[in-house]
Amino acid sequence: MRRRKKSSQRKRIGCVSYYLHHGAWFLYYLEYQDGVKVQRRHKVADTEEEAAQIAAQVNAQLASSSPTPFSFTSVSFSKLRQAFLNHHETVVKSSPATIRRYRSATQHLENYFNECCRSDLAHSIRADQFVAWLRKQKISPNGHPNTAKRTLRDKGLRFILEVCRSVYIYAAQQRFLPPTFENPFSKINLERMKIEDAKPIFVFDAEDELRFFQKADDWTFPIHFILAKTGLRSGELIHLLIEDLDLENGWLHVRNKPELHWKVKTRRERSLPLIKEAVAVLRRVIGDRTSGPVFIRHQFDAFSSPLGNLDQIELQELLQQRIAHADSGSVLTLSQTMEEKLARSVWLEAGVIRSERVRNSFIRTSKLAGLKQSSCPKSWRHSFATLLQDANVDPLIRQITLGHKPSEDARSGGLGMTGVYTHTRATTQRREIERALRLWPQSLAYARQWASANKV
């Protein structure tokens, strides 16, 4: 008859016992979770002394009904997702565009839980199975239901997984996961995931740029000329107000407008020098207007937009009045999303251009110019940065002008200690940017001709 192996000797502190098992010390105790008594058994230390200290700590927490280091609250992924999005809206104060991207990315994982998982608990996920499922899904590239569907590109898939990893980092911080549960998306090593099907970036040369401008109509040309000669993001251009321009001195200021619920992507305000051709183009676009968006929707003339005669301060006051009016008729305080919708309505009534309208005009003009590979107005920003590189413009000036967020130490601007001790004068920035833009004289000559022509 086989003799049973003698169990390890247990030691006890209060209601917590600790024991040696396979060379490591474990804790065992009972704890209430969601009104149900559950067993806890955890490996805690390599030495008896450390195990005793942890057992005493846990016993004290149990006695005071405080959560122990190993306690957690199980939640469904649906609830975790909503908590994560609310955290970014109310605590982190992420931009509405960022929250929309996070919502779209996490919707894929919620769909996976609903379709493929027996349990809806967040910690029941298998990341490898989710990735395999995700690669088979077909989506509409622009979100429209009638668009031809395709599988996710590698870049889009990696973004979804990066957001899911952030969700589970947040879940661990909020104790929604078992203490021994490892972030399933950290094991995938997303940084090494290859991007093999990315669309090539189209970069203009001098001839392509001139051909594009010659095919552009009078509404399209100034928009894309300013994008090409300043490196602005499309969102920065459409939210540019006349007050942001200093045409007398040849400067354009990219400023955050938090009171109107718009901020620069990286939150980094900057000033851009304008060559004289850009100043001339902007003067023709603005005409006699003294306030409102620089570029307005082409169905409006100079003064026909409902709020086109209001400056930034007046637009801010109007928005606050609308928020206060909506808030007075609601039981709950308005969410950031609702305030964003009200702000968007103010921008639209002021005549601001929709971002998709800029993209559509770019695609249409590119086709007319025979530039079939060019499909995104971001090409102007790539081309502007490349032109500065061709002209050997100092990297610090390039960073300042493009408004890039430093990827390393914020004090050094990503340039090491040189960035801390280097201060770029406005005159140097102007000289270097103008020197680079003068490398392509043909389009500048065309701009001078356009700016001096009579309005159609």
Side-chain angles (χ1 to χ4, degrees):
M1 183 176 177
R2 295 182 59 184
R3 297 179 62 183
R4 293 184 61 186
K5 186 177 179 181
K6 187 178 180 180
S7 61
S8 302
Q9 184 179 2
R10 291 176 179 260
K11 300 187 178 183
R12 180 177 292 276
I13 296 179
C15 59
V16 180
S17 61
Y18 59 101
Y19 59 93
L20 183 65
H21 181 65
H22 292 304
W25 288 86
F26 284 70
L27 252 61
Y28 174 81
Y29 58 94
L30 299 177
E31 180 181 15
Y32 282 96
Q33 178 181 327
D34 300 328
V36 179
K37 185 178 286 189
V38 295
Q39 297 181 356
R40 301 290 193 201
R41 185 179 285 106
H42 302 288
K43 177 182 175 181
V44 295
D46 294 326
T47 66
E48 181 180 354
E49 182 181 2
E50 291 176 317
Q53 292 175 352
I54 297 173
Q57 176 188 352
V58 171
N59 181 65
Q61 290 168 328
L62 290 173
S64 62
S65 301
S66 301
T68 70
F70 309 103
S71 62
F72 70 99
T73 302
S74 297
V75 297
S76 67
F77 179 77
S78 179
K79 290 184 178 178
L80 170 59
R81 175 177 178 244
Q82 191 57 54
F84 174 78
L85 295 174
N86 290 342
H87 175 73
H88 273 274
E89 180 175 344
T90 61
V91 179
V92 182
K93 289 289 186 180
S94 297
S95 70
T98 296
I99 295 173
R100 283 195 296 270
R101 289 194 294 270
Y102 288 172
R103 181 174 287 109
S104 297
T106 54
Q107 183 64 54
H108 292 283
L109 186 51
E110 182 160 344
N111 292 343
Y112 172 75
F113 268 97
N114 294 335
E115 295 176 18
C116 304
C117 294
R118 294 181 179 179
S119 171
D120 65 347
L121 294 179
H123 62 266
S124 66
I125 183 66
R126 285 284 302 274
D128 53 345
Q129 294 178 359
F130 171 61
V131 174
W133 176 87
L134 194 59
R135 289 192 180 277
K136 298 177 183 179
Q137 303 307 301
K138 292 189 176 182
I139 53 100
S140 300
N142 61 1
H144 196 281
N146 295 332
T147 305
K149 294 186 176 182
R150 60 164 173 79
T151 55
L152 285 162
R153 296 189 185 276
D154 292 339
K155 190 174 181 180
L157 185 141
R158 187 166 78 173
F159 175 75
I160 292 171
L161 297 179
E162 287 172 344
V163 175
C164 291
R165 180 174 61 185
S166 298
V167 171
Y168 277 83
I169 291 174
Y170 168 78
Q173 294 170 343
Q174 301 299 314
R175 293 192 174 191
F176 291 150
L177 304 172
T180 57
F181 184 84
E182 295 184 49
N183 190 326
F185 296 96
S186 295
K187 302 176 183 179
I188 300 177
N189 200 352
L190 300 178
E191 286 68 28
R192 298 190 63 181
M193 184 176 287
K194 295 182 179 180
I195 307 297
E196 297 179 339
D197 60 354
K199 295 178 66 176
I201 300 297
F202 180 84
V203 178
F204 284 89
D205 58 25
E207 290 73 21
D208 290 339
E209 182 187 66
L210 179 61
R211 202 184 322 159
F212 180 99
F213 291 152
Q214 289 174 335
K215 294 295 182 179
D217 57 40
D218 279 346
W219 183 83
T220 300
F221 170 77
I223 290 173
H224 294 285
F225 181 79
I226 296 302
L227 287 175
K229 301 309 172 185
T230 60
L232 286 172
R233 301 176 178 93
S234 293
E236 294 170 345
L237 177 125
I238 63 178
H239 291 96
L240 195 66
L241 298 177
I242 293 176
E243 299 98 298
D244 296 325
L245 301 179
D246 180 6
L247 299 183
E248 292 298 324
N249 296 306
W251 287 92
L252 181 154
H253 304 289
V254 182
R255 299 178 174 126
N256 292 313
K257 300 176 177 67
E259 295 83 1
L260 289 171
H261 287 255
W262 184 83
K263 296 178 183 178
V264 181
K265 180 179 179 180
T266 59
R267 307 296 192 266
R268 296 171 66 85
E269 296 184 343
R270 65 193 190 278
S271 297
L272 307 176
L274 297 171
I275 55 177
K276 62 182 182 181
E277 289 82 0
V279 170
V281 167
L282 288 170
R283 287 191 186 281
R284 177 176 168 183
V285 169
I286 294 171
D288 297 329
R289 291 185 295 134
T290 58
S291 59
V294 173
F295 298 96
I296 56 177
R297 299 202 297 282
H298 63 314
Q299 63 264 41
F300 292 148
D301 58 30
F303 297 98
S304 66
S305 57
L307 306 179
N309 61 336
L310 301 184
D311 61 22
Q312 182 173 343
I313 300 298
E314 292 169 328
L315 291 174
Q316 292 171 188
E317 292 174 349
L318 176 62
L319 175 59
Q320 290 305 314
Q321 292 172 7
R322 293 187 179 183
I323 291 175
H325 178 72
D327 204 18
S328 64
S330 174
V331 177
L332 301 175
T333 303
L334 289 184
S335 65
Q336 182 182 356
T337 302
M338 290 301 299
E339 290 187 5
E340 164 67 17
K341 288 182 179 179
L342 291 173
R344 188 62 184 161
S345 68
V346 170
W347 279 107
L348 290 173
E349 289 177 39
V352 75
I353 303 169
R354 296 179 185 272
S355 56
E356 59 267 25
R357 189 70 182 83
V358 176
R359 183 175 184 272
N360 291 340
S361 68
F362 181 87
I363 294 173
R364 183 184 65 252
T365 308
S366 293
K367 289 181 179 179
L368 292 174
L371 305 173
K372 297 180 180 180
Q373 294 180 329
S374 179
S375 61
C376 178
K378 195 175 182 180
S379 290
W380 292 126
R381 189 165 164 83
H382 283 277
S383 302
F384 179 79
T386 303
L387 185 58
L388 300 191
Q389 170 68 21
D390 292 341
N392 294 319
V393 173
D394 180 87
L396 182 60
I397 292 178
R398 274 185 270 155
Q399 185 184 85
I400 292 171
T401 304
L402 289 164
H404 285 148
K405 187 175 183 179
S407 58
E408 298 177 1
D409 183 359
R411 297 181 309 142
S412 64
L415 297 172
M417 287 303 293
T418 304
V420 177
Y421 287 92
T422 303
H423 306 276
T424 302
R425 296 184 179 87
T427 52
T428 304
Q429 183 187 8
R430 176 187 292 279
R431 183 188 69 238
E432 290 294 287
I433 299 303
E434 179 153 357
R435 179 174 62 83
L437 296 181
R438 295 293 172 195
L439 293 178
W440 294 0
Q442 298 96 328
S443 60
L444 301 184
Y446 183 81
R448 289 193 295 269
Q449 179 183 352
W450 184 90
S452 62
N454 294 327
K455 295 183 180 180
V456 177

